[in-house]
Amino acid sequence: MRRKQVDSDRVRAEATSHHQLAKELSIPQLVAIGVGSTIGAGVYVLVGTVAREHAGPALTISFLIAGIAAALSAFCYAELASRCPSAGSAYHYSYICVGEGVAWLIGWALILEYTIGGSAVARGISPNLALFFGGPDSLPPFLARAYIPWLDIVVDPLAAFLVLIVTALLCVGIKESSFVQAIVTTLNACVMLFVIIAGGYIGFKTGWVGYTVAGGYFPYGVNGMLAGSATVFFAYIGFDSVASTAEEVKNPQRDLPWGIGTALSICCSLYMMVSIVICGIVPYFAMDPDTPISSAFSRHGMQWAMYIVTTGAVLALCSTLMGSLLPQPRILMAMARDGLLPHFFSDVNKRTQVPVKSTILTGICAAVLAFFMDVSQLAGMVSVGTLLAFTIVAVSILILRYVPPEEVPMPSSFRESIDTVSFRNSQENNNEKAKDITGLEDHKSGTSRAKDVEVSSDYPLIVKEIDQDKLNKQTRRKRAALSIASVCVGVVILTSSASATFLPVSVRYSACSVGGLLLLLGLSVLSWIDQDDGRHSFGHSGGFICPFVPLLPAMCILINAYLLINLGASTWFRVSIWLLTGVFVYIFYGRTHSSLTDVVYVPAAHADEIYKTSAQYVV
């Protein structure tokens, strides 16, 4: 449960004096990273699959609802990213707000997410690129997939080659790699704009036949539309990559919230417009589930549009590949800085100012996976890391607002300064209490007896009145902590019971009722009590403030927990093996090498004073 100190200029100067990242990113680059990491080739397939099986023409509403759900997490990310602009993203925030154990699991899950995500994206480029050469098996021999009988695997040289190229680009520098990603993302957006404009022209010409179907706008009902929202929600995963570059942003308090919000807005707008057009020019039941967009244009005599759409899919995959490989070295670096991983991962190249060693190691691992292994069956594991991160970020917002950390860790070498400051403050507190007591006695008797009054058990009631504010604050913090726990437990019970279709209906309803009551009780108490004043001094001020707290974070926790539980037993089995491995790594290495192993926790109000009185202080 030990927590590290929130970002401050002094802490950052100490922590990064030997490995400082380059501050090169502004809003346009952040938007390019966010959009490029989010819009993958999946949207070119999701349109057909979700429309045919779940939503019908209401696919647009599904994208809108999923975008709103993603925006809940984006609001939470925006506040924490601007308050704590350091590498590590959700790992960093949970380490500050929740504790080391949870932070380690989040970081460990994100490592899995980005490695498998990058490998899966790279494997998807080959079949799309092969279409330019005449068909699925038309790539040049040295790039084409090949079956190895004695290993019973299909190797993909092109996927591994592309991963290594992107890795080399990321090693050059964040400015150069973000520039290339901006170009690729812009070209991909142009392809989607072509689909929107050309498809809109066809729609107005043919009368939008896709919206005249007999089943109406909701052929599968509202439930089908909501099921479609749960499916397309994963098309919004990726904007959190922006938060992982927080330490490389020129003006994080301003640029990070704008970058996250703008990227998500652009993605949602493009998704909705593409779905409006495609669902309008082709009836949902006639869509090709594999190539819905190119086949829609082919039905209207525009076979050449297939090449443009395929180009967009390849560009989207390349951009997503860069977005998948970019955050992982920074998370490894953040974990190594905190001592949870070897210092090898925290080295930053002096010339390029990026964690080159971590980037190369990440790239090699992803390239090996992409070459030897078809990771499509592991794609669900990517979602676990993201949804866990989204959930813990929302919990961190509640902790930040109601029970922000009041103590900060200090090295044990500061023990003498800590004792000195503690003694001085205790003396000052005693003097203040004596003055208050003396003033009260003077008011009653009309005489001055300051020299005769001492702070002791002779005045228990007066001292109790003086400390009443402190007692009230502690009581409020305890109630807030219990309420946050009630919200989390209620969400787990509610989502688990709602998804447990194998249980009898009466049991499910009863469990749902209990979970719902716990959730509402926690929300009611949090809405009734005041937020902690310490939130104003938490981290860097002047950035984005998440609105509608506690309702918005609670809704974010509820949505993400529901999606997590419904990922499937096989996915959770694989993820559990990885997380269990992480637990052993933490027990045998991270726990004992943590930078918080030999620290003393002191009140945050006295941290600067202790630092300045220490022998290690340098002006």
Side-chain angles (χ1 to χ4, degrees), residues 130-261:
L131 296 176
F132 290 104
F133 294 88
D137 301 318
S138 303
L139 280 173
F142 65 94
L143 293 177
R145 291 181 176 179
Y147 176 69
I148 302 179
W150 61 88
L151 293 178
D152 194 27
I153 59 173
V154 176
V155 297
D156 193 335
L158 177 60
F161 181 65
L162 288 172
V163 170
L164 294 177
I165 289 178
V166 172
T167 301
L169 177 62
L170 292 175
C171 290
V172 173
I174 187 64
K175 185 178 182 180
E176 292 77 9
S177 59
S178 63
F179 176 73
V180 173
Q181 187 165 25
I183 294 176
V184 176
T185 302
T186 302
L187 292 175
N188 181 29
C190 290
V191 171
M192 297 188 76
L193 288 175
F194 164 78
V195 171
I196 294 166
I197 295 170
Y201 171 77
I202 295 173
F204 282 112
K205 186 178 177 180
T206 59
W208 301 100
V209 295
Y211 293 113
T212 60
V213 293
Y217 193 71
F218 295 93
Y220 297 100
V222 176
N223 289 335
M225 182 265 294
L226 293 176
S229 298
T231 303
V232 301
F233 174 83
F234 298 103
Y236 290 95
I237 287 178
F239 68 85
D240 54 314
S241 297
V242 177
S244 67
T245 64
E247 201 170 304
E248 295 156 285
V249 180
K250 295 178 181 178
N251 186 352
Q253 281 70 45
R254 182 198 66 186
D255 295 352
L256 280 170
W258 275 107
I260 294 173

Side-chain angles (χ1 to χ4, degrees), residues 5 8-15 408 410 414 607-608 611 617:
Q5 185 174 355
S8 69
D9 294 334
R10 172 175 60 78
V11 173
R12 183 176 302 171
E14 291 176 348
V408 297
M410 281 283 178
F414 284 36
D608 288 334
Y611 180 74
Y617 177 66

Side-chain angles (χ1 to χ4, degrees), residues 422-441:
S422 299
F423 178 75
R424 184 189 307 161
N425 280 281
S426 63
Q427 290 293 102
E428 291 176 357
N429 290 337
N430 289 341
N431 292 336
E432 288 295 324
K433 291 178 181 179
K435 290 179 182 178
D436 291 334
I437 297 169
T438 302
L440 185 59
E441 292 293 325

Side-chain angles (χ1 to χ4, degrees), residues 32-45 117-118 120-122 124-126 128-129 132 162 166 180-192 235 237-238 267 270-271 293 307-325:
I33 291 172
V35 175
S37 302
T38 304
I39 296 183
V43 66
Y44 295 96
V45 179
V121 168
I125 294 176
S126 300
N128 283 279
L129 198 60
F132 290 104
L162 288 172
V166 172
V180 173
Q181 187 165 25
I183 294 176
V184 176
T185 302
T186 302
L187 292 175
N188 181 29
C190 290
V191 171
M192 297 188 76
I237 287 178
C267 294
L270 289 174
Y271 287 160
I293 297 178
Y307 295 101
I308 297 179
V309 174
T310 304
T311 300
V314 172
L315 290 171
L317 284 167
C318 291
S319 181
T320 306
L321 177 59
M322 284 189 275
S324 297
L325 296 179

